[in-house]
Amino acid sequence: MSERLVVVGGGMAAVRLVEELTARSYDGSMTVLADEQQAPYNRILLSAVLEGTHGVDAITLRPASWFDAHGVELRLGARVLDVDRERREVMLVDGTRIGFDRLVLATGSIPTLPPIRGLVRMDGSLHPKVHAFRSLADCRGLDAAAAPGARAVVVGGGLLGLQVARALAVRGLHTEVVEGAEHLLASQLGEPGGRVLARDLRRLGTSVYTGARVVRMTEAGVRLDNGYELSADLIVLTAGGRPSTALARRAGLMVRRGVVVDSDLRSVTDDRVHAIGDCAEHRRRVTGFVPPAWEQAGVLASVLCGGAERYDGSRSVARLRATDLEVAVLGDPEHAAGEVVEMTNPIAGSHRRLVVEGGVIVAAALVGDLSRVGLITQLYDRGTVLGPDEPGQLLLGEPAAAPVALPDEAEVCACAGVTAGTIRGCSSFDACREGTRATTGCGGCESVVRRLLDEAEPASLSRA
Amino acid sequence: MTATHCPYCSLQCGMRVTRRGPAVPEIGEWAEFPVNRGALCRKGWSAAGLYAGRERLTTPLLRDRATGELTPVGWDEALDTIADRLSALRAERGPDAVGVFGGGGLTNEKAYQLGKLARVALGTSQIDYNGRWCMSSAATAGTRAFGLDRGLPFPLADIEQADVVVLVGSNLAETMPPAARHLDALRERGGQVVVIDPRRTATADRADVFVQPVPGFDLALALGVLHLLVAGGLVDESYVADRTSGWADVRDSVGAWWPERVERVTGVPAPEVRALAALLGGAERVVVLTARGAEQHATGSDTVLAWINVALALGMCGTPGAGYGCLTGQGNGQGGREHGQKADQLPGYRMIDDPVAREHVASVWGVPADSLPGKGRSAYEMLDALGTDDGPSALLVFGSNIVVSAPNATRVTARLEALDLLVVADVVLSETAAIADVVLPVTQWAEETGTMTNLEGRVILRQRAVSPPAGVRSDLDVISGLATRLGSPVPFATDPEEVFSELGRASAGGKADYAGITYARIRDEAGVFWPCPSPGHAGTPRMFLDSFAHPDGRARFHVVEHRGPAEVPDADYPVHLTTGRVLAQYQSGAQTRRVRELPDSGPFVELHPMLAGRIGAVDGAPVSVTTRRGSMTASARVVTTIRPDTVFVPFHWVGANRLTNDALDPASRMPEFKVCAAAVTA
């Protein structure tokens, strides 16, 4: 009998694993246990759906029919209660038992509930004004509640919090952000970057309270630990998440922050169990981003198909996806070892920091001005060794080309190979055209030729 | 004064040639020809310089076995020697011991006769041509998406009617300058031009939007654009429902290509991806044009399909003033791929493994269908097999300078040198002719008459305007002379018009149907667009208006995945190398480098000041570029117009293609000319 592979989780890591296994013609059977009712979707675009830039249809990763077509059993709404490692069975809450030869935990993370009095009611449900923001169901709930003109408080000033805050503001809600740390994006950015970001947000009409915690629900909204009361029609919890490890713990697998895995993405406790994505901990790191989860899925597919690839950590790039807020964080710019090249321009609202070790960009933070993000990301991902002046040049941006007077030897008509001096020597445009054939090719130089002939002063051309 | 066409690129600009004195023509304007309306670039204006050189071959040359030198011989001796040695090799090793290598610059008549020579007189399956390295990825993609490949399914001037024209990997302002006039006309109307290129080229300078991805990642950019079109509800759903199939799978396949992911993969900032998608999604008529920058990759055909998916989702293909097209490169790149010099095809764009097609063509040729060989190796694969145990040991080359233009050229040159017999028919002693055993001097351009099919699918007539030098013969004469000596069961015509008429019959009923086209019609109608199945048919300037060429009449979406280039930078080879053209040169330069009026600066290495500073390079001083396959040294051109992680080398001179990667596209067999990993040192 061929190997029975069971994947717990139907999120982005799980789907990528199945795609990679399918592409590699994995010869075992595959079962995916997804606890949501929805076919797998692109979770990181939920804030875009909320903002309205993405339709819900556009975030489907793979429809149920795709799994059918590839012979993969997809069970939606399948919540796993326990894993029996002795009998190699997974038990669902409905009592179903599913046997496995290999188990992959891709259970993701769960939102952290901040300690706010009145947040959770006696029956365990959230206060009706309160919304989590993790699943499509959460997104739909918030979408329905987000009436223009309503007042929203977003609890948490991390990437997700800022995306949700911008989405709500774009939709016309009066939005405020409360962040417990001293500045926004505290796990990614230093204080100068966080400050630039807060200014941007305020300029966009969103109030920001840093170094403040929501401590209790009130009649009108919420109360902060500094005594402020913010009136609110809805409260969104985006105060981070933690790896979802309850199942692994109960099954007796080694768990620190996440399920501890080796370079085969294999539990150090049980070689028939693997973990990938937000729930996995590799070399004492949990990631919480999609690109590392996908890299892990690719490596695990290789491992399961007998390939030689091994996981050696990921280079992460975190990007804020929100209209009019520009943030990119490469690696860990606050903690990475190396020389720091940094430029903050609070006047223009930009902050850029490169951490360079041995000529290689090992981490970076870009806030406000992302004009070089494409290049910096390439240099970071490829580990390019830069010269000593390059980090500074990267932060300065392209200088604007100064207009230059055309010297006589400058080629004006590339098609016919005619210089400015030759053109200046012609009596008229038509004579120039006939005598030199300038302007008779692509025609792009016609205005310059006319200027050279009509104007007594040296003509200028802005092209460097 | 003779109305004819330029000797170079696929635009095939109309020009008038007047003979002044013995055999020296003068070039003049042919303002009525609609493609270029009288405009020419300096290559066209200086084309008469092709006649001024003293390097013209006028006698066959045979390599003397004793001295190793090429020695002049008479035509009979040259052709007899070739035929004797080919016959001996065939007797010893079978018909596939002989290979034939053609070119996209050959007239339709020559391309047709070359295919017939291979299949009928030599009986070999081993025939392919340098067009495989030109637009084959677009041809493969066009065939898969539309059921038929015609580079542009509409006249070039139609792009003036679009609201947005997207050029993916095309530098047409330098490679076919008069075409840029259509972009200017479009912009005067208020339309916008988008250029996607790792270099800010002369074409990018006249664009409204310039996007600068890492070379080799155009496919991911297209996936990202399509993702945003879906996200924003900008897909033309009724068009998709009425005229296409396969959309649902493609729609779902781009769900994972959000702009920030595209940014990380392509090096294009996410806001630029968003702006591009918004521009395309908001335009009524969009034209997407690909060229070599998108196509010459190991993922070239998928990259083209990804952009076709964008054009289809927007409802543009088969819509007036909109659609997708490929800007073919070589003079007869279009016609050259239709009439049988491709390893897998027979005249009329028929597939060689289709029994009905074999029967039809064989009946025109007057031979039994089962005598025709099957499918042979693609261009690079054939060259790679030369002189090996199961590869050809003799090669006939017409209209191609392989030593300069093949990828991984050092290896290819070694394969050519391993042959028992290399025969090259050319105008001058090209780098490839220089290592041949037999060199045959042939006529060129205005010395001969023949049809070409330009990038629009317009069949045009190049007419003889001057007499060829004494001693040279047409390729048609050479082919016929060889066929006779090889004991061909059927005769080979040598009069171009007669060959064209036979070609018309052979193509009749095929996809590229020329049956209704005559020289007289071409003269009268400023060219005739194929398909033109009968004398009364007007030709087909615009295709797909009512239906696509698949049996169900629908265009097909294809799911394509991003794979990236075959070689990416690493610690030893830390930058991307890309290759391309300069305005004053054409292809391997065998013609243009010999025209005195055209500046021959030699190769150069274009690099950004940041990279120059890193390696200590100085503008004008030599730098070396090294890849896993070879190395070259040329002077540095330090420019801010290229990505700092990329260097550029033009390929018209020996050197660039010693560096390029021979990784092949699995479908089109296109080599990855446009990107590999390189090290640069000062």
Side-chain angles (χ1 to χ4, degrees):
Chain A
M1 198 177 79
S2 69
E3 185 171 83
R4 295 168 303 165
L5 177 74
V6 172
V7 182
V8 182
M12 299 188 76
V15 173
R16 178 50 72 98
L17 175 67
V18 172
E19 287 175 346
E20 293 272 356
L21 287 169
T22 303
R24 289 164 202 255
S25 306
Y26 172 68
D27 65 359
S29 69
M30 287 181 258
T31 302
V32 175
L33 305 174
D35 65 354
E36 291 181 51
Q37 288 294 346
Q38 179 78 28
Y41 57 88
N42 194 332
R43 192 182 305 281
I44 68 164
L45 293 176
L46 287 177
S47 60
V49 172
L50 181 65
E51 185 172 328
T53 59
H54 275 62
V56 173
D57 286 350
I59 70 167
T60 302
L61 284 174
R62 295 290 181 188
S65 58
W66 183 89
F67 291 86
D68 282 349
H70 289 82
V72 178
E73 186 184 6
L74 171 68
R75 292 196 181 201
L76 296 174
R79 293 184 54 201
V80 177
L81 184 67
D82 261 318
V83 173
D84 184 338
R85 292 200 287 122
E86 291 285 301
R87 298 174 62 175
R88 292 195 202 137
E89 282 178 347
V90 169
M91 286 163 290
L92 305 187
V93 289
D94 67 4
T96 313
R97 300 177 81 92
I98 299 169
F100 66 84
D101 301 307
R102 258 177 214 287
L103 184 72
V104 178
L105 299 174
T107 50
S109 62
I110 47 177
T112 312
L113 287 189
I116 300 172
R117 271 178 65 190
L119 189 69
V120 182
R121 292 185 298 187
M122 297 301 282
D123 64 359
S125 66
L126 288 174
H127 186 286
K129 281 185 182 176
V130 175
H131 297 260
F133 198 78
R134 170 80 189 161
S135 66
L136 185 57
D138 294 338
C139 180
R140 287 193 163 122
L142 184 55
D143 183 60
R151 302 183 70 90
V153 170
V154 175
V155 181
L159 284 168
L160 182 62
L162 298 184
Q163 284 172 195
V164 169
R166 278 302 294 150
L168 293 173
V170 165
R171 291 185 53 172
L173 279 77
H174 178 271
T175 308
E176 299 178 293
V177 176
V178 181
E179 165 59 43
E182 293 305 315
H183 59 268
L184 294 173
L185 280 190
S187 22
Q188 281 92 18
L189 295 181
E191 202 253 339
R195 267 226 302 261
V196 166
L197 199 49
R199 271 170 66 128
D200 278 349
L201 263 181
R202 289 189 185 108
R203 183 174 45 79
L204 293 166
T206 295
S207 308
V208 176
Y209 304 88
T210 52
R213 286 180 175 73
V214 176
V215 289
R216 61 179 297 168
M217 303 292 298
T218 64
E219 195 66 27
V222 294
R223 184 180 299 280
L224 309 188
D225 61 354
N226 61 13
Y228 277 56
E229 185 168 349
L230 308 179
S231 60
D233 303 307
L234 46 95
I235 294 106
V236 191
L237 303 180
T238 61
R242 55 187 166 77
S244 171
T245 55
L247 199 60
R249 270 181 214 280
R250 279 203 303 280
L253 298 171
M254 180 168 174
V255 174
R256 283 193 293 255
R257 283 172 64 208
V259 182
V260 180
V261 294
D262 61 17
S263 61
D264 284 346
L265 286 320
R266 195 188 303 267
S267 160
V268 295
T269 315
D270 186 335
D271 63 8
R272 290 186 171 269
V273 179
H274 300 261
I276 56 173
D278 290 1
C279 71
E281 177 179 328
H282 175 257
R283 289 203 201 130
R284 300 205 167 247
R285 292 190 57 173
V286 292
T287 68
F289 293 108
V290 171
W294 280 359
E295 282 175 45
Q296 291 172 357
V299 170
L300 179 55
S302 167
V303 167
L304 295 178
C305 294
E309 280 180 63
R310 293 299 176 265
Y311 185 67
D312 188 32
S314 296
R315 288 176 175 270
S316 74
V317 175
R319 277 291 261 117
L320 190 69
R321 277 170 296 279
T323 303
D324 300 325
L325 272 193
E326 296 291 1
V327 180
V329 180
L330 288 62
D332 185 356
E334 287 307 300
H335 302 102
E339 306 285 351
V340 173
V341 183
E342 192 169 34
M343 198 178 90
T344 304
N345 181 347
I347 303 157
S350 69
H351 167 74
R352 285 167 289 173
R353 175 186 179 94
L354 302 180
V355 184
V356 181
E357 169 96 324
V360 176
I361 297 171
V362 294
L366 304 170
V367 181
D369 179 352
L370 263 58
S371 54
R372 303 301 277 275
V373 66
L375 178 60
I376 290 170
T377 306
Q378 289 285 320
L379 297 171
Y380 166 75
D381 275 339
R382 308 255 178 241
T384 308
V385 181
L386 303 177
D389 295 329
E390 285 183 89
Q393 290 164 355
L394 283 169
L395 296 191
L396 287 174
E398 296 277 0
V404 287
L406 279 176
D408 274 354
E409 62 275 20
E411 190 173 82
V412 171
C413 176
C415 293
V418 186
T419 62
T422 305
I423 293 166
R424 287 189 179 109
C426 296
S427 58
S428 70
F429 181 80
D430 286 344
C432 179
R433 186 178 187 283
E434 289 305 310
T436 69
R437 287 180 176 142
T439 76
T440 62
C442 73
C445 62
E446 188 168 324
S447 62
V448 179
V449 171
R450 287 190 186 279
R451 278 212 307 274
L452 286 170
L453 289 169
D454 291 344
E455 293 173 9
E457 293 169 343
S460 63
L461 189 68
S462 62
R463 194 186 161 197
Chain B
M1 194 163 70
T2 309
T4 189
H5 298 271
C6 177
Y8 303 115
C9 80
S10 66
L11 209 54
Q12 287 297 294
C13 290
M15 54 168 58
R16 291 193 200 277
V17 177
T18 310
R19 187 176 159 170
R20 294 245 192 270
V24 178
E26 187 177 293
I27 309 297
E29 212 175 70
W30 177 10
E32 302 79 31
F33 187 69
V35 179
N36 59 308
R37 298 168 192 157
L40 293 174
C41 75
R42 66 203 296 180
K43 294 195 292 289
W45 285 121
S46 65
L50 291 168
Y51 293 85
R54 278 171 296 185
E55 296 178 59
R56 185 68 189 274
L57 294 172
T58 54
T59 174
L61 303 172
L62 184 63
R63 195 168 297 282
D64 186 305
R65 292 201 168 185
T67 65
E69 297 290 309
L70 285 169
T71 313
V73 294
W75 272 100
D76 280 337
E77 184 181 349
L79 295 176
D80 288 345
T81 305
I82 297 166
D84 288 349
R85 292 178 65 182
L86 294 182
S87 298
L89 283 169
R90 284 166 65 206
E92 189 187 329
R93 302 192 52 230
D96 280 357
V98 181
V100 178
F101 200 89
L106 299 175
T107 62
N108 289 317
E109 292 80 357
K110 293 178 185 182
Y112 169 80
Q113 289 294 70
L114 206 54
K116 183 173 164 184
L117 174 77
R119 273 67 180 243
V120 174
L122 289 164
T124 181
S125 68
Q126 301 296 300
I127 174 168
D128 215 63
Y129 79 128
N130 64 19
R132 187 70 77 169
W133 305 334
C134 181
M135 63 326 108
S136 60
S137 291
T140 300
T143 302
R144 291 184 68 195
F146 308 124
L148 183 149
D149 153 48
R150 198 180 87 185
L152 288 176
F154 42 74
L156 184 61
D158 277 15
I159 68 173
E160 295 177 9
Q161 306 308 316
D163 298 305
V164 180
V165 170
V166 184
L167 295 164
V168 192
S170 166
N171 181 13
L172 59 73
E174 287 189 87
T175 57
M176 44 178 71
R181 290 173 172 263
H182 297 296
L183 300 182
D184 292 345
L186 161 85
R187 296 179 71 196
E188 273 164 33
R189 264 193 52 248
Q192 297 196 60
V193 175
V194 178
V195 169
I196 300 170
D197 198 308
R199 302 162 63 218
R200 183 182 284 275
T201 60
T203 311
D205 279 343
R206 58 218 286 169
D208 301 280
V209 177
F210 171 55
V211 178
Q212 195 170 22
V214 181
F217 292 87
D218 301 300
L219 197 167
L221 184 61
L223 296 176
V225 168
L226 192 51
H227 171 96
L228 286 169
L229 295 178
V230 174
L234 297 167
V235 173
D236 186 340
E237 298 288 353
S238 66
Y239 171 96
V240 166
D242 292 345
R243 300 207 57 189
T244 71
S245 61
W247 168 239
D249 287 344
V250 168
R251 180 195 59 212
D252 294 338
S253 73
V254 298
W257 285 95
W258 63 92
E260 290 76 15
R261 181 175 177 217
V262 175
E263 168 187 289
R264 186 167 181 189
V265 171
T266 66
V268 177
E272 294 184 20
V273 183
R274 287 199 178 86
L276 177 58
L279 177 65
L280 299 187
E284 200 168 314
R285 291 181 303 276
V286 174
V287 170
V288 178
L289 301 173
T290 62
R292 307 302 83 69
E295 299 162 11
Q296 287 180 325
H297 291 281
T299 56
S301 55
D302 280 356
T303 300
V304 175
L305 282 171
W307 284 101
I308 290 176
N309 285 344
V310 169
L312 286 174
L314 290 166
M316 298 300 164
C317 303
T319 301
Y324 162 79
C326 155
L327 296 166
T328 297
Q330 295 193 79
N332 198 26
Q334 180 70 51
R337 67 202 200 234
E338 299 164 4
H339 298 298
Q341 60 173 337
K342 270 180 105 168
D344 51 354
Q345 287 177 8
L346 290 172
Y349 231 138
R350 291 181 157 90
M351 299 313 292
I352 202 166
D353 49 10
D354 170 3
V356 178
R358 293 170 66 87
E359 197 61 54
H360 172 80
V361 173
S363 75
V364 173
W365 285 348
V367 298
D370 59 11
S371 72
L372 302 180
K375 186 172 159 179
R377 292 180 176 90
S378 76
Y380 184 79
E381 289 161 304
M382 175 162 66
L383 297 178
D384 197 40
L386 296 178
T388 63
D389 286 348
D390 63 345
S393 46
L395 187 71
L396 308 178
V397 179
F398 291 81
S400 187
N401 188 6
I402 297 167
V403 166
V404 179
S405 62
N408 199 1
T410 305
R411 173 169 171 79
V412 166
T413 305
R415 297 320 318 152
L416 289 170
E417 285 167 342
L419 287 166
D420 291 339
L421 178 68
L422 174 62
V423 179
V424 174
D426 210 330
V427 176
V428 294
L429 197 69
S430 70
E431 287 78 359
T432 309
I435 61 167
D437 301 293
V438 189
V439 180
L440 302 174
V442 290
T443 51
Q444 63 176 338
W445 176 55
E447 298 162 359
E448 57 183 19
T449 293
T451 61
M452 309 281 279
T453 305
N454 81 346
L455 78 172
E456 311 166 284
R458 183 197 307 255
V459 184
I460 52 104
L461 186 61
R462 275 194 195 165
Q463 308 198 86
R464 175 167 159 157
V466 298
S467 308
V472 307
R473 291 186 183 180
S474 156
D475 294 285
L476 295 178
D477 290 318
V478 173
I479 291 167
S480 172
L482 284 175
T484 306
R485 285 171 175 78
L486 290 163
S488 166
V490 294
F492 278 63
T494 57
D495 173 62
E497 195 160 3
E498 195 182 326
V499 176
F500 187 74
S501 157
E502 182 184 316
L503 180 162
R505 293 196 299 281
S507 74
K511 283 177 171 167
D513 191 332
Y514 283 39
I517 308 177
T518 62
Y519 279 18
R521 281 192 64 181
I522 297 173
R523 284 192 196 99
D524 292 347
E525 300 170 28
V528 179
F529 291 83
W530 70 258
C532 179
S534 64
H537 190 284
T540 314
R542 293 169 187 84
M543 309 195 72
F544 312 138
L545 293 178
D546 301 316
S547 82
F548 294 95
H550 286 301
D552 61 1
R554 289 170 175 266
R556 291 185 189 156
F557 282 97
H558 291 271
V559 173
V560 290
E561 304 284 352
H562 160 71
R563 303 194 297 280
E567 210 174 74
V568 292
D570 57 20
D572 296 329
Y573 300 97
V575 300
H576 304 273
L577 166 69
T578 190
T579 64
R581 296 148 199 260
V582 300
L583 195 153
Q585 296 293 328
Y586 179 66
Q587 304 295 74
S588 75
Q591 294 158 288
T592 46
R593 279 188 274 128
R594 291 172 171 84
V595 173
R596 282 200 203 94
E597 295 93 321
L598 294 176
D600 180 359
S601 58
F604 54 87
V605 179
E606 202 175 273
L607 73 169
H608 191 275
M610 278 175 61
L611 178 56
R614 187 190 310 166
I615 64 169
V618 177
D619 189 56
V623 289
S624 295
V625 183
T626 306
T627 69
R628 289 183 174 81
R629 293 155 295 281
S631 185
M632 71 174 283
T633 300
S635 61
R637 278 198 193 172
V638 179
V639 296
T640 56
T641 48
I642 191 167
R643 288 184 60 95
D645 53 12
T646 301
V647 297
F648 168 84
V649 179
F651 72 85
H652 308 289
W653 296 267
V654 169
N657 277 325
R658 289 183 186 152
L659 309 174
T660 49
N661 195 348
D662 53 6
L664 298 185
D665 183 293
S668 67
R669 317 312 281 167
M670 168 73 84
E672 190 141 85
F673 286 104
K674 280 290 188 259
V675 67
C676 64
V680 193
T681 51

